[in-house]
Amino acid sequence: MSKVYTAQELIKILADERQACLKGKRLKLEIPVSGNPVIDQFLITDGLQQFTAYQDFKTAIHNYQRENQVSGIIWREVTVKGKNLNYPEVDSELIALTSDLEILKAAKNSIVEFWYEVSMGMDLYLSFNNSKQYQGIVTSDVERIVQRTEWAGLCKWENSSFLEMILQLGWGKPEEASYKRGRPQSGSEYIHAVNPGNRPIG
C-alpha cells in the first residue's frame, strides 16, 4: 500500500512548488492572455504562466486530498493577555473536507468565547471593501453575525504598544470564504478588536 501524505507534508510540497514557479522553473505554456493571437505575441506572459502552473498544481493537490481523505486542518495556538487557546483552521493552501467543516463548527463557540474574553473593553470594527474600510460596531452587532455563521477563526497583531484581535466568522468552504470568491455559498466577516482610540491595521 502506498504512503498517504499528511497535511503538513502537502503544505511543504506546495511551498516548494510555489518557489519553483516563482523562479520560473515551472511554466504552463500556451496561455492566451487576451484571446487575440496578434496581441498576445507582444505581451509578456511569464507571470501568468507561473501563476497558472502553480494553480494547476494546487488543484491536483486538492484532488489528492479528496481522493485520500487528507484533512486540510492544522492546529494553531494563540496566547493573549495570559490566556491560551488551541484551535483548528484550514491551511490557506489546502481545502476543507466535509469532516474538517464539522471540526470547525464544533470549535466555533470556544473560539468566539476566547475572542470575547480577550477583547473585553476594546473598540470593535467590522471590515468591508476587502478590509480597506472599517465601521465601528458594538457587541450586539457581533452577536448577530455569530448567529448566522458556521465557523470561526482568529488572527492576532501585537507589539509592545498595540493589540488587534481579528475574529473571522465564516460559512461554507473556508478556501472560498476569505476573498469573497464563493459568495453567497461561502464567505466570511471580519471583526477587529483594538485598544480604545486605535484603528485596525490587519
Side-chain angles (χ1 to χ4, degrees):
M1 189 167 146
S2 62
K3 173 190 187 305
V4 174
Y5 291 100
T6 67
Q8 294 297 339
E9 289 169 327
L10 293 180
I11 292 165
K12 171 79 168 77
I13 289 167
L14 280 163
D16 291 345
E17 184 67 15
R18 185 171 48 248
Q19 285 305 310
C21 289
L22 288 172
K23 291 176 182 171
K25 293 179 181 173
R26 308 273 196 284
L27 296 176
K28 179 160 180 143
L29 302 176
E30 301 176 16
I31 304 287
V33 178
S34 70
N36 183 323
V38 176
I39 295 172
D40 284 350
Q41 68 181 331
F42 297 107
L43 298 175
I44 299 170
T45 59
D46 284 2
L48 183 59
Q49 290 170 345
Q50 292 165 1
F51 175 79
T52 305
Y54 179 68
Q55 293 305 313
D56 286 353
F57 187 81
K58 192 157 83 164
T59 298
I61 293 290
H62 295 170
N63 289 336
Y64 178 88
Q65 274 186 266
R66 286 185 201 96
E67 289 164 13
N68 294 280
Q69 289 298 292
V70 179
S71 169
I73 284 187
I74 53 173
W75 286 85
R76 300 275 191 212
E77 182 177 0
V78 64
T79 302
V80 183
K81 300 178 180 177
K83 300 179 189 314
N84 296 325
L85 179 71
N86 287 307
Y87 64 97
E89 74 174 29
V90 175
D91 184 81
S92 61
E93 296 297 309
L94 300 178
I95 60 166
L97 303 177
T98 304
S99 56
D100 293 341
L101 290 174
E102 295 309 312
I103 292 168
L104 294 178
K105 289 173 185 178
K108 176 185 169 184
N109 288 343
S110 61
I111 293 170
V112 171
E113 285 169 19
F114 178 84
W115 182 85
Y116 276 134
E117 275 185 54
V118 300
S119 66
M120 197 172 293
M122 298 173 82
D123 290 347
L124 306 179
Y125 292 89
L126 174 67
S127 68
F128 58 98
N129 194 12
N130 293 324
S131 294
K132 294 183 181 122
Q133 295 177 287
Y134 302 93
Q135 172 69 47
I137 59 173
V138 294
T139 304
S140 58
D141 297 320
V142 178
E143 289 166 0
R144 278 194 294 278
I145 297 169
V146 168
Q147 291 301 314
R148 64 176 200 250
T149 54
E150 299 175 333
W151 47 264
L154 288 173
C155 183
K156 173 179 85 167
W157 298 97
E158 183 177 34
N159 62 33
S160 59
S161 60
F162 182 81
L163 173 64
E164 179 174 357
M165 285 300 301
I166 303 169
L167 177 65
Q168 179 187 14
L169 294 167
W171 65 93
K173 298 178 181 177
E175 64 269 19
E176 295 179 358
S178 296
Y179 303 105
K180 310 207 184 300
R181 289 188 311 229
R183 286 203 182 227
Q185 291 82 12
S186 300
S188 58
E189 302 291 352
Y190 293 89
I191 314 295
H192 303 251
V194 293
N195 290 324
N198 288 334
R199 294 283 294 178
I201 61 168

